[in-house]
Amino acid sequence: EVHVVESGGDSVQAGGSLRLSCTASGFTFDDSDMGWYRQAPENECELVSIINSDGSTLYTDSVKGRFTISRDNAKNTVTLQMNSLKEEDTAVYYCTARFCTSEHCYVPGCRSQGTLVTVSS
């Protein structure tokens, strides 16, 4: 069973920085793509960033140049460094995995407890 625990969410002023962390278990972390999604009030769950098992990364356009995703396979952790935060970054952030086994594929999304990021002007 996929289990992730997010931390690091907080309330900050626009222009500030936060570092989100996620510890994962229940699957083969090294072979899995990992990512961060977010969901703002009355909005749909959206992809923020993905770091693939090979270390390649992808960012949604609105966070490019401001957010950096990284992973530590030795610790089963994935981190999202968020700089130059904007009010529109306010959301619950969810850590998620993306992988397939011989039996099924785990689809990423906003399913864990998440961590709340609030950015004020």
Side-chain angles (χ1 to χ4, degrees), residues 4-101:
V4 296
V5 178
E6 303 99 336
S7 63
D10 205 345
S11 297
V12 296
Q13 290 193 325
S17 297
L18 283 175
R19 187 177 180 86
L20 305 184
S21 295
C22 167
T23 301
S25 61
F27 59 99
T28 306
F29 186 87
D30 294 19
D31 294 339
S32 301
D33 304 331
M34 296 297 298
W36 289 93
Y37 280 64
R38 67 185 178 187
Q39 187 165 21
E42 302 182 358
N43 284 10
E44 294 183 352
C45 179
E46 65 169 352
L47 170 69
V48 176
S49 181
I50 289 278
I51 183 165
N52 294 315
S53 57
D54 64 1
S56 59
T57 58
L58 176 150
Y59 298 92
T60 192
D61 286 346
S62 63
V63 308
K64 285 180 180 177
R66 300 188 298 121
F67 290 11
T68 303
I69 191 170
S70 60
R71 64 189 294 162
D72 185 337
N73 288 345
K75 298 181 179 179
N76 281 20
T77 59
V78 59
T79 300
L80 186 68
Q81 177 66 44
M82 306 188 297
N83 298 328
S84 303
L85 282 161
K86 304 176 180 180
E87 287 185 77
E88 51 264 42
D89 294 318
T90 295
V92 178
Y93 284 71
Y94 299 88
C95 176
T96 187
R98 183 176 68 186
F99 63 90
C100 288
T101 69

